[in-house]
Amino acid sequence: MKQNDIEDLKIRQLLDTKMPLAPRNEWFVKKVMNRLPEKRRSSISIIEIVGYIVAILVVLGIEIGIVCDISNVGAITLNNIVWLTTLNIILISIVASIFAPLFRNSLD
């Protein structure tokens, strides 16, 4: 036997001799389960909503700044296209993360 097994057996014997047994109750689990409240579905908290709104406003603000810069210069560059594409992907992922828990809960 391994040393750990011997120690485990000693601990088990010690607990068996020193610890009192719990009283037996056949319907304990059923009674407790009947008194538990319904399982709540996870929803979006206020902090998450505020965070999403701030993130959306920041992304939209940057996009508006880029569009204003494009209209002032009168030309669109590859850098502007990359920035706008990246920001739109970020915006779509933020919106998707808002609605993902709602969609997941509707499938349950």
Side-chain angles (χ1 to χ4, degrees), residues 59 63 82-95:
V59 170
E63 283 187 353
V82 169
W83 270 102
L84 288 174
T85 304
T86 304
L87 290 171
N88 282 323
I89 291 171
I90 291 171
L91 188 62
I92 290 169
S93 67
I94 292 171
V95 172

Side-chain angles (χ1 to χ4, degrees), residues 10-33:
K10 287 179 183 177
I11 292 172
R12 182 177 181 176
Q13 289 171 353
L14 179 67
L15 290 176
D16 284 343
T17 58
K18 299 288 184 182
M19 297 295 292
L21 294 175
R24 183 133 175 103
N25 190 340
E26 295 296 328
W27 58 287
F28 172 74
V29 175
K30 184 178 179 182
K31 183 169 113 176
V32 171
M33 294 304 289

Side-chain angles (χ1 to χ4, degrees), residues 44 52 56 89-104:
I44 300 173
Y52 287 135
I56 289 172
I89 291 171
I90 291 171
L91 188 62
I92 290 169
S93 67
I94 292 171
V95 172
S97 65
I98 291 171
F99 291 108
L102 300 174
F103 179 71
R104 189 175 342 113

Side-chain angles (χ1 to χ4, degrees), residues 44-54:
I44 300 173
S45 69
I46 300 297
I47 295 173
E48 288 175 312
I49 292 171
V50 171
Y52 287 135
I53 290 172
V54 168

